[in-house]
Amino acid sequence: MGERDYWRLLVPGVRLAVEYVTIQGQMVSFLVRLEKVKEGGEWRLSARYDTCHGRPHLDVVNEKGELVLKRWMEEMDIGEAFRRAVLDFEENHEKYN
């Protein structure tokens, strides 16, 4: 089993945090978080893609950390869902709180 996690800045004050697990070279779970700096310099979650609940989906939260949107990634294998999640946050981070 392989586990990997890392984060990187997309632009100042916005970072992408990634975690995933592979078994025999196949991705079996992932978590991709978009985090932004709030007042006081603390990082806060804006949105996340993950495989919790057994299938890939997007959760968007408000500034209070409350869930405001859940979108399932239907008919997509886990590897494709992971690639789309990273690409979405790279290209569209400004549209999330």
Side-chain angles (χ1 to χ4, degrees):
M1 180 165 65
E3 296 181 31
R4 179 140 191 239
D5 65 277
Y6 63 91
W7 66 267
R8 65 182 167 91
L9 287 177
L10 297 178
V11 296
V14 179
R15 73 180 177 188
L16 183 69
V18 177
E19 301 173 26
Y20 62 87
V21 176
T22 60
I23 296 177
Q24 296 180 346
Q26 296 292 317
M27 185 174 289
V28 295
S29 67
F30 70 81
L31 169 64
V32 179
R33 294 185 321 268
L34 181 67
E35 301 173 337
K36 296 187 178 183
V37 171
K38 65 179 182 179
E39 287 186 39
E42 293 181 44
W43 290 96
R44 68 166 179 81
L45 177 67
S46 292
R48 73 176 163 260
Y49 284 92
D50 64 50
T51 53
C52 198
H53 314 298
R55 55 190 175 149
H57 64 280
L58 167 67
D59 291 325
V60 179
V61 299
N62 63 19
E63 287 142 359
K64 295 177 183 177
E66 301 165 332
L67 182 67
V68 295
L69 172 72
K70 182 178 288 288
R71 185 177 74 213
W72 298 100
M73 302 174 80
E74 300 295 337
E75 302 190 25
M76 190 178 310
D77 73 36
I78 195 169
E80 179 63 19
F82 174 77
R83 288 185 287 281
R84 287 191 187 189
V86 171
L87 187 61
D88 179 35
F89 288 161
E90 288 175 340
E91 294 182 347
N92 302 303
H93 58 83
E94 66 282 339
K95 79 177 187 178
Y96 297 98
N97 276 332

